[in-house]
Amino acid sequence: MSESSSSAQLADTLRNELDRYPQGGKLPSSRALVERFGVSPVTVSRALAELVAEGLVVTRPGAGAFRAATDRPTTTVDTSWQEIALNGEPAPHIADATGITANLAVPPPGVIAFNGGYLHPSLQPEQALGAAVARAARRPGAWQRPPLEGLTPLRAWFAREVGLTPAQVLITAGGQAALATALHALTPPGSPVLVESPTYPGALSIARAAGLRPVPVPMDQDGVRLDLLEDAFAATGARVFYCQPLFHNPTGAILAADRRRRLVDIAHAAGAFVVEDDYARRLGHGLPLPPPLVADDPYGTVVHISSLTKPTSPNLRVGALIARGPVLERLRATQVVDTFFVPRPLQEATLDLVGTPSWQRHLRGLAPSLRDRRDVMLTALHRHGLAVRSPLGGYYLWLRLPDGTDEAAAVATCLRAGVAVSPGRPYFAAEAPEPHLRLSFADTAGPDEINEGVSRLALGVEAAGVS
């Protein structure tokens, strides 16, 4: 085993060799493992720590590492009673995560991930993140309890982006947590909540788990249809409209300029809030972007959600809720009940990251990288006769399949062909009007993988009976 071998590989080797030792038997010393496998002491230490965490090995200071005593009596537990408890009357609000897990699932080895919801590791600012976390962890006071609303300098950073003040910002554990807080705080169970159709499945899952009734409002290529939105407010009495005006997920649409102020006016006239999910603001492909709705809101109607997860790493779960007026205290109370606060070391690391020159360098490099991957995927799809509208930002393409296509069968045949895709059905609050697939070009290693993935996609779609 070479010096470059990972601690995970060494742990796997040691795990397979544990049967050579009796329970309680001593393993070779760290020095012996270093010499045998040609790795560093740090690699050995990490491998042993992994086995200790699994309960397979115990370490004794000054004595070494020993195989753990793992023989325990097994018992059979009858859990059939849970079926009654979980499905009793009145029926509880059920958390259905199927629409989310389809995008979070890591495909098997060899399968190309067109279903991903995050950046490929090659696009993540891993070095800058690592340096920021290391500096933050050593900062005096970094492990003290933070203010419930979040660190003031980080709140100020988010506030500057929308032209508001730190007092109007709550730091959240990413965009999903912010959205859950907003929907829980703004409307009681049993109420309707208006959503774009299609829309982000995570929003639908949160709404349904909270006992809300998602009501779809159709879109066109310029965003939500305002005539239908106004009708939906009047017909349902809804007090919340959830939307993604910039690089909408999954269609990539941008709300047209002439609809922006009118949308806020319609919601205000209905006495309702607009929950603006601005998850993709840092995922533009190089063109100027419109300001967020909250920046031009004269009423305090817009509750704005911002997140740093999408342009960085799925593990940097830091975002913000931005609002004005009494609603902010409602949001704050809901967040405190649900999560207390975002860990201070994570906030400190985020503040460190966005304050360094590497942050702007990362964003400048990310835009052309996403644009290039988008163009490669569009070209490959067109080469196979699959037409898709080109988005100006984000990292999704919304592929319309021919009428009559069995969407579920297409997803399954694509996976058998070696490419994972997201089905379109979970993006609709009601019955889907036509079959779709959502394709991500961001969670890919580059052009070669995209071209190969689209070739597999075409085979899978063809095998599903699509002409």
Side-chain angles (χ1 to χ4, degrees):
M1 185 173 292
S2 69
E3 180 64 26
S4 62
S5 299
S6 70
S7 59
Q9 290 174 304
L10 178 56
D12 189 55
T13 300
L14 296 177
R15 191 181 296 110
N16 293 331
E17 294 183 356
L18 282 179
D19 287 339
R20 298 181 184 179
Y21 308 95
Q23 294 190 23
K26 185 175 181 180
L27 275 63
S29 68
S30 294
R31 178 177 296 179
L33 293 174
V34 167
E35 293 177 354
R36 175 186 171 191
F37 294 105
V39 296
S40 70
V42 172
T43 298
V44 171
S45 177
R46 289 176 177 171
L48 291 175
E50 183 173 333
L51 298 181
V52 169
E54 295 174 8
L56 300 176
V57 169
V58 294
T59 56
R60 300 170 191 160
F66 301 81
R67 182 183 174 186
T70 56
D71 288 343
R72 296 184 179 89
T74 58
T75 57
T76 301
V77 177
D78 181 7
T79 60
S80 59
W81 65 273
Q82 294 183 6
E83 293 298 324
I84 298 174
L86 292 173
N87 295 284
E89 295 293 340
H93 305 317
I94 302 300
D96 182 1
T98 53
I100 304 174
T101 54
N103 300 328
L104 294 177
V106 177
V111 175
I112 294 173
F114 283 177
N115 66 319
Y118 301 104
L119 293 177
H120 188 269
S122 64
L123 296 177
Q124 296 176 21
E126 289 187 340
Q127 186 174 356
L129 281 167
V133 170
R135 287 191 296 266
R138 297 192 300 266
R139 188 170 298 138
W143 295 93
Q144 295 179 11
R145 186 176 65 187
L148 295 179
E149 299 84 357
L151 298 180
T152 300
L154 186 56
R155 296 165 68 199
W157 184 83
F158 278 107
R160 283 195 301 272
E161 291 203 316
V162 297
L164 297 181
T165 69
Q168 295 160 332
V169 178
L170 298 175
I171 300 301
T172 68
Q176 187 75 1
L179 179 54
T181 295
L183 293 185
H184 290 157
L186 297 179
T187 190
S191 301
V193 56
L194 305 185
V195 298
E196 296 161 315
S197 183
T199 192
Y200 167 52
L204 297 177
S205 296
I206 291 171
R208 290 166 178 153
L212 306 178
R213 296 185 291 109
V215 177
V217 182
M219 300 175 60
D220 59 25
Q221 64 181 8
D222 293 322
V224 66
R225 291 269 307 274
L226 297 188
D227 56 333
L228 300 181
L229 177 65
E230 195 165 19
D231 291 344
F233 272 125
T236 65
R239 292 295 178 264
V240 173
F241 171 52
Y242 167 75
C243 62
Q244 296 177 313
L246 184 66
F247 310 142
H248 172 264
N249 177 13
T251 68
I254 300 175
L255 184 66
D258 61 351
R259 300 187 188 186
R260 291 167 52 84
R261 177 59 184 269
R262 179 63 181 148
L263 185 156
V264 177
D265 288 342
I266 289 171
H268 178 63
F273 290 99
V274 174
V275 177
E276 178 189 23
D277 189 348
D278 202 28
Y279 81 100
R281 179 152 298 273
R282 300 165 189 86
L283 302 177
H285 295 170
L287 296 177
L289 303 180
L293 295 181
V294 71
D296 298 325
D297 170 22
Y299 313 112
T301 293
V302 178
V303 173
H304 178 85
I305 295 174
S306 180
S307 173
L308 290 174
T309 304
K310 293 294 187 181
T312 56
S313 162
N315 294 295
L316 190 69
R317 307 207 66 79
V318 173
L321 270 170
I322 303 176
R324 291 175 292 171
V327 68
L328 190 65
E329 182 54 35
R330 177 80 66 84
L331 293 167
R332 177 182 179 275
T334 302
Q335 175 171 277
V336 169
V337 168
D338 287 346
T339 61
F340 285 7
F341 49 79
V342 177
R344 183 167 189 147
L346 192 56
Q347 294 190 56
E348 295 276 8
T350 302
L351 189 59
D352 186 291
L353 174 69
V354 299
T356 61
S358 60
W359 173 242
Q360 291 302 325
R361 284 198 300 270
H362 166 65
L363 294 182
R364 286 195 299 269
L366 182 59
S369 296
L370 291 176
R371 183 178 63 242
D372 292 346
R373 283 166 167 77
R374 176 203 66 187
D375 292 345
V376 170
M377 183 173 279
L378 286 169
T379 300
L381 289 168
H382 291 165
R383 188 164 58 244
H384 289 280
L386 301 170
V388 185
R389 184 185 179 199
S390 175
L392 299 178
Y395 38 69
Y396 304 122
L397 298 182
W398 188 231
L399 176 63
R400 167 76 155 86
L401 298 174
D403 290 337
T405 299
D406 186 332
E407 184 182 283
V411 172
T413 54
C414 284
L415 187 59
R416 287 194 293 271
V419 60
V421 298
S422 298
R425 177 63 190 89
Y427 293 82
F428 292 92
E431 188 65 29
E434 60 269 319
H436 285 87
L437 299 178
R438 195 200 71 171
L439 311 177
S440 170
F441 49 82
D443 193 11
T444 60
D448 291 344
E449 187 170 80
I450 291 174
N451 281 313
E452 174 61 24
V454 172
S455 295
R456 297 180 186 183
L457 169 70
L459 290 174
V461 170
E462 182 179 5
V466 181
S467 57

